[in-house]
Amino acid sequence: MSQLSFLYQFLVNPRVVGAIFPSSRFLSEKMVGEIDFKKAKYIVEYGAGTGVFTEFLMKKRNPTTFILVVENNKEFCLLLEEKFKMEKNLLIVNGSAEGIKEYISEHGIPYVDYVISGLPFASLPYEISSEIIFNTVDILKKDGKFITFQYTKLKKEFIEQFFNKISIRREYSLNYSYFKVKS
């Protein structure tokens, strides 16, 4: 998908896509750098877009690690299915992250070690954001981690309502903040 196509998806669905361009390689490295790939058995990714984080997850994961990708945008979902059609232990779901409990139940996933999120919480309605985060807390195993990035710290207090430990780091290449939170 070209930069122009990504921009078009943003213009058509700004509350869902939330960015004008795909995430940078630098941000991707930081996001997946928090994962212990030797121990992770189940990883979930919300809002994969064009699959920038997904590529890093696929390269670094243990081949037996199962990755479930949830993407709400149909065009992005079709792109992801084509891009990763040869990958094993990867499932791409065209749906909302709000339904994560249903998706993991359907596919026999007992818990999740890590949730990586590219969702634009600042532009999502409060009720949807709350449902997504609440369900995320429920599916994470005891020492599981939720890793997300945001363009602003506006949702920091919101996220703190659900997680007791938060660390914030910056990716200065495009002025992102990302949150690593533990349940």
Side-chain angles (χ1 to χ4, degrees):
M1 179 175 280
S2 71
Q3 298 287 342
L4 198 55
S5 297
F6 196 95
L7 175 62
Y8 174 77
Q9 290 300 317
F10 170 77
L11 293 172
V12 172
N13 302 299
R15 294 192 84 152
V16 176
V17 176
I20 296 174
F21 298 108
S23 299
S24 73
R25 159 179 81 79
F26 304 106
L27 177 62
S28 299
E29 288 173 358
K30 283 191 175 183
M31 293 283 287
V32 303
E34 300 292 330
I35 296 174
D36 182 350
F37 285 99
K38 291 179 183 172
K39 293 182 181 175
K41 292 185 179 176
Y42 301 102
I43 299 172
V44 168
E45 181 182 4
Y46 298 152
T50 59
V52 177
F53 298 160
T54 314
E55 285 181 41
F56 277 78
L57 290 170
M58 299 309 293
K59 285 179 190 171
K60 294 184 176 232
R61 74 170 175 162
N62 179 322
T64 62
T65 300
F66 188 85
I67 298 176
L68 172 64
V69 174
V70 180
E71 174 55 56
N72 200 34
N73 181 294
K74 183 66 174 169
E75 295 301 315
F76 287 155
C77 199
L78 292 170
L79 172 81
L80 293 167
E81 288 170 353
E82 179 62 27
K83 190 175 193 177
F84 298 108
K85 67 183 173 191
M86 302 304 288
E87 295 291 345
K88 299 205 182 315
N89 293 326
L90 172 69
L91 176 65
I92 299 166
V93 173
N94 182 216
S96 172
E98 292 170 278
I100 190 59
K101 289 165 93 174
E102 176 186 330
Y103 308 143
I104 68 168
S105 176
E106 281 177 16
H107 299 287
I109 300 171
Y111 61 86
V112 176
D113 297 291
Y114 296 91
V115 174
I116 305 296
S117 175
L119 296 178
F121 286 106
S123 65
L124 293 176
Y126 179 82
E127 298 78 24
I128 292 173
S129 295
S130 296
E131 185 73 14
I132 291 168
I133 299 291
F134 183 76
N135 289 338
T136 299
V137 170
D138 269 0
I139 65 168
L140 282 170
K141 72 179 194 175
K142 185 178 180 191
D143 58 345
K145 293 180 183 166
F146 174 61
I147 304 168
T148 188
F149 80 94
Q150 302 294 299
Y151 294 103
T152 174
K153 290 185 184 177
L154 287 174
K155 290 294 185 168
K156 180 179 179 273
E157 289 180 13
F158 167 75
I159 292 172
E160 286 175 328
Q161 295 173 47
F162 298 91
F163 295 95
N164 58 12
K165 292 181 185 178
I166 295 180
S167 66
I168 299 173
R169 299 206 175 85
R170 285 196 148 325
E171 169 49 53
Y172 292 101
S173 65
L174 291 174
N175 198 27
Y176 295 111
S177 289
Y178 78 94
F179 300 89
K180 176 183 78 174
V181 296
K182 300 177 184 177
S183 59

